[in-house]
Amino acid sequence: QNKEKYVAAYLKDKARYEEEMKNYQPSQQFLEKKAEQVKKQKEQAGTETAMEKYFAFLLTSWRKVSEENPSLGGKEVQEMAWQQWTRGELVEVKQKKVKMVRDPAAPKKPLTAFFLFQKKMRMGGLAMTSKAVAEMWNNLDGEVRQPFKEGEEELKGKYRKEVEDFKRKKVGEGDA
């Protein structure tokens, strides 16, 4: 009984929050600051200092040098890596991926059939680990999975429509 009033309050507040998020538009100032921040990150991505480059090289070549010379200690391995660095025997250093900025007003991707199943299990009061839910999902028959697959397809269709509307709206704002 006691729990029910909290669950009801939670659901009411969640509905209010979701309604507010549908109409939420970040301020122009926020979007400008976000764009500045992304621009700075892109500019800084290619400007590593010499020390950063050396340590990145050291990280990538340390294992290789120590495997080739198993009798060497840490100081000797570092010395050999330093010699390779000064001779210009550079190992290709992986570049960090730049995270794509997501428009906060863009529609969110829909839940998959598995996540719809997981949500139903948790709303039903089953407190299980994700691993246990995944095991249950894998053991389900196709007939039992079907409503979740249908729900997924319905949500995908809705999502595609929202994306089209969003793109049209965005293109319309770009022309104005």
Side-chain angles (χ1 to χ4, degrees), residues 9-24 108:
Y10 158 76
L11 292 173
K12 181 181 174 187
D13 195 44
K14 185 177 181 185
R16 179 200 53 82
Y17 172 78
E18 287 175 349
E19 190 61 37
E20 285 177 9
M21 291 312 293
K22 284 180 185 175
N23 301 324
Y24 172 74
K108 290 183 173 58

Side-chain angles (χ1 to χ4, degrees), residues 53-61 81 84-85 89-91 93:
K53 287 180 184 177
Y54 171 68
F55 280 111
F57 168 78
L58 187 60
L59 272 171
T60 56
S61 62
Q84 288 177 352
W85 174 260
E89 298 173 14
L90 301 178
V91 175
V93 177

